[in-house]
Amino acid sequence: MKQQAGNTIRIERASSDNIDAWAKLRAALWSDQSMEEHSRDLRRLLDDDAADFRGFLAFRSDGEAVGFAEACLRRDYVNGCRSSPVLFLEGIHVEPAFRRGGIGRALLEAVRAFGKASGCTEFASDALLDNVDSHRFHAALGFEETQRVVYFRQPL
């Protein structure tokens, strides 16, 4: 548990029981999809291979979800890593009013515990080149930058 502005924050493994709150937080981070699309994606992720995927939610003492983190075990090549599987942070979000109080760190600790229990020796993540806030967040939590990549495509 983490104390945040007079509220105790608890971190829990996300499940189908809290998909609505989870989808709302996902939509705040990944706004290119609706809450309904996020809900559908979460149900699929939980059904497909829950052993390699984990979501964690940060709850206030009144039950309001104020943050989430998602991670998976990647068994393919992960840029900058040497082992497999690699624990990969797929996304993390804390509502703006609750940032800078340790919730992101607490969510990452839950993700780390999942990775360690799964036999991972490396924890990786990524961020868009222009997302400087994310770069700072990762650096503050002990991540080291390994590569910068620009992807290209063309239709066939």
Side-chain angles (χ1 to χ4, degrees), residues 52 73-76 78 83-87 115 118-122:
D52 281 358
L73 305 181
R74 290 198 178 179
R75 299 176 191 285
D76 55 347
V78 175
S83 64
S84 181
V86 171
L87 177 64
S118 301
C120 295
T121 59
E122 292 180 285

mmCIF file of all heavy atoms in Angstrom, residues 52 73-76 78 83-87 115 118-122:
data_model
loop_
_atom_site.group_PDB
_atom_site.id
_atom_site.type_symbol
_atom_site.label_atom_id
_atom_site.label_comp_id
_atom_site.label_asym_id
_atom_site.label_seq_id
_atom_site.Cartn_x
_atom_site.Cartn_y
_atom_site.Cartn_z
ATOM 1 N N ASP A 52 1.038 -15.206 -19.815
ATOM 2 C CA ASP A 52 2.099 -14.321 -20.302
ATOM 3 C C ASP A 52 1.717 -12.840 -20.238
ATOM 4 O O ASP A 52 2.474 -11.992 -20.693
ATOM 5 C CB ASP A 52 2.472 -14.675 -21.739
ATOM 6 C CG ASP A 52 3.370 -15.891 -21.818
ATOM 7 O OD1 ASP A 52 3.746 -16.443 -20.766
ATOM 8 O OD2 ASP A 52 3.693 -16.307 -22.946
ATOM 9 N N LEU A 73 5.186 -11.195 -21.179
ATOM 10 C CA LEU A 73 6.461 -11.881 -21.383
ATOM 11 C C LEU A 73 6.649 -11.995 -22.882
ATOM 12 O O LEU A 73 5.831 -12.611 -23.572
ATOM 13 C CB LEU A 73 6.428 -13.271 -20.744
ATOM 14 C CG LEU A 73 6.055 -13.314 -19.269
ATOM 15 C CD1 LEU A 73 6.081 -14.759 -18.771
ATOM 16 C CD2 LEU A 73 6.976 -12.436 -18.443
ATOM 17 N N ARG A 74 7.685 -11.386 -23.395
ATOM 18 C CA ARG A 74 7.987 -11.465 -24.826
ATOM 19 C C ARG A 74 9.068 -12.513 -25.032
ATOM 20 O O ARG A 74 10.126 -12.464 -24.402
ATOM 21 C CB ARG A 74 8.435 -10.107 -25.368
ATOM 22 C CG ARG A 74 7.310 -9.102 -25.408
ATOM 23 C CD ARG A 74 7.644 -7.955 -26.318
ATOM 24 N NE ARG A 74 6.543 -7.004 -26.386
ATOM 25 C CZ ARG A 74 6.590 -5.905 -27.109
ATOM 26 N NH1 ARG A 74 7.666 -5.605 -27.815
ATOM 27 N NH2 ARG A 74 5.552 -5.079 -27.117
ATOM 28 N N ARG A 75 8.765 -13.428 -25.909
ATOM 29 C CA ARG A 75 9.689 -14.538 -26.166
ATOM 30 C C ARG A 75 10.435 -14.367 -27.488
ATOM 31 O O ARG A 75 11.308 -15.143 -27.801
ATOM 32 C CB ARG A 75 8.920 -15.852 -26.135
ATOM 33 C CG ARG A 75 8.282 -16.080 -24.762
ATOM 34 C CD ARG A 75 7.419 -17.317 -24.672
ATOM 35 N NE ARG A 75 6.649 -17.335 -23.448
ATOM 36 C CZ ARG A 75 7.124 -17.614 -22.241
ATOM 37 N NH1 ARG A 75 8.394 -17.918 -22.097
ATOM 38 N NH2 ARG A 75 6.337 -17.609 -21.188
ATOM 39 N N ASP A 76 10.070 -13.331 -28.236
ATOM 40 C CA ASP A 76 10.788 -13.012 -29.465
ATOM 41 C C ASP A 76 11.923 -12.039 -29.118
ATOM 42 O O ASP A 76 12.156 -11.735 -27.954
ATOM 43 C CB ASP A 76 9.846 -12.409 -30.498
ATOM 44 C CG ASP A 76 9.087 -11.181 -29.975
ATOM 45 O OD1 ASP A 76 9.098 -10.955 -28.751
ATOM 46 O OD2 ASP A 76 8.492 -10.467 -30.785
ATOM 47 N N VAL A 78 13.736 -8.767 -28.269
ATOM 48 C CA VAL A 78 13.382 -7.462 -27.724
ATOM 49 C C VAL A 78 14.614 -6.571 -27.854
ATOM 50 O O VAL A 78 15.683 -6.912 -27.343
ATOM 51 C CB VAL A 78 12.937 -7.566 -26.246
ATOM 52 C CG1 VAL A 78 12.693 -6.184 -25.665
ATOM 53 C CG2 VAL A 78 11.687 -8.436 -26.123
ATOM 54 N N SER A 83 18.200 -11.828 -23.312
ATOM 55 C CA SER A 83 17.615 -13.051 -22.778
ATOM 56 C C SER A 83 16.206 -13.261 -23.323
ATOM 57 O O SER A 83 15.682 -12.441 -24.058
ATOM 58 C CB SER A 83 17.576 -12.977 -21.250
ATOM 59 O OG SER A 83 16.726 -11.924 -20.839
ATOM 60 N N SER A 84 15.633 -14.378 -22.942
ATOM 61 C CA SER A 84 14.246 -14.673 -23.278
ATOM 62 C C SER A 84 13.706 -15.642 -22.232
ATOM 63 O O SER A 84 14.429 -16.561 -21.848
ATOM 64 C CB SER A 84 14.150 -15.305 -24.660
ATOM 65 O OG SER A 84 12.810 -15.559 -24.997
ATOM 66 N N PRO A 85 12.504 -15.424 -21.756
ATOM 67 C CA PRO A 85 11.609 -14.323 -22.084
ATOM 68 C C PRO A 85 12.059 -13.024 -21.422
ATOM 69 O O PRO A 85 12.814 -13.036 -20.456
ATOM 70 C CB PRO A 85 10.266 -14.779 -21.507
ATOM 71 C CG PRO A 85 10.638 -15.636 -20.348
ATOM 72 C CD PRO A 85 11.914 -16.325 -20.759
ATOM 73 N N VAL A 86 11.561 -11.926 -21.954
ATOM 74 C CA VAL A 86 11.824 -10.599 -21.405
ATOM 75 C C VAL A 86 10.504 -10.038 -20.891
ATOM 76 O O VAL A 86 9.477 -10.120 -21.570
ATOM 77 C CB VAL A 86 12.416 -9.661 -22.482
ATOM 78 C CG1 VAL A 86 12.480 -8.221 -21.984
ATOM 79 C CG2 VAL A 86 13.785 -10.140 -22.919
ATOM 80 N N LEU A 87 10.525 -9.500 -19.697
ATOM 81 C CA LEU A 87 9.365 -8.792 -19.168
ATOM 82 C C LEU A 87 9.276 -7.464 -19.911
ATOM 83 O O LEU A 87 10.245 -6.709 -19.951
ATOM 84 C CB LEU A 87 9.543 -8.558 -17.664
ATOM 85 C CG LEU A 87 8.450 -7.759 -16.975
ATOM 86 C CD1 LEU A 87 7.110 -8.495 -17.036
ATOM 87 C CD2 LEU A 87 8.837 -7.468 -15.529
ATOM 88 N N GLY A 115 7.471 -10.460 -13.374
ATOM 89 C CA GLY A 115 8.585 -10.875 -14.224
ATOM 90 C C GLY A 115 9.560 -11.789 -13.508
ATOM 91 O O GLY A 115 9.989 -12.816 -14.050
ATOM 92 N N SER A 118 8.257 -15.166 -13.069
ATOM 93 C CA SER A 118 8.174 -15.865 -14.351
ATOM 94 C C SER A 118 9.543 -16.231 -14.903
ATOM 95 O O SER A 118 9.643 -16.729 -16.022
ATOM 96 C CB SER A 118 7.421 -14.996 -15.364
ATOM 97 O OG SER A 118 6.124 -14.711 -14.893
ATOM 98 N N GLY A 119 10.607 -15.955 -14.152
ATOM 99 C CA GLY A 119 11.950 -16.327 -14.572
ATOM 100 C C GLY A 119 12.659 -15.329 -15.456
ATOM 101 O O GLY A 119 13.712 -15.634 -16.016
ATOM 102 N N CYS A 120 12.134 -14.136 -15.578
ATOM 103 C CA CYS A 120 12.778 -13.115 -16.414
ATOM 104 C C CYS A 120 13.982 -12.516 -15.692
ATOM 105 O O CYS A 120 13.964 -12.367 -14.467
ATOM 106 C CB CYS A 120 11.796 -11.994 -16.752
ATOM 107 S SG CYS A 120 10.409 -12.519 -17.760
ATOM 108 N N THR A 121 14.977 -12.166 -16.466
ATOM 109 C CA THR A 121 16.153 -11.490 -15.922
ATOM 110 C C THR A 121 16.307 -10.082 -16.488
ATOM 111 O O THR A 121 17.202 -9.349 -16.068
ATOM 112 C CB THR A 121 17.438 -12.292 -16.197
ATOM 113 O OG1 THR A 121 17.588 -12.447 -17.619
ATOM 114 C CG2 THR A 121 17.385 -13.658 -15.526
ATOM 115 N N GLU A 122 15.443 -9.716 -17.442
ATOM 116 C CA GLU A 122 15.479 -8.377 -18.018
ATOM 117 C C GLU A 122 14.059 -7.810 -18.092
ATOM 118 O O GLU A 122 13.102 -8.543 -18.311
ATOM 119 C CB GLU A 122 16.088 -8.384 -19.420
ATOM 120 C CG GLU A 122 17.566 -8.724 -19.437
ATOM 121 C CD GLU A 122 18.120 -8.729 -20.847
ATOM 122 O OE1 GLU A 122 17.842 -9.699 -21.586
ATOM 123 O OE2 GLU A 122 18.808 -7.757 -21.209
#
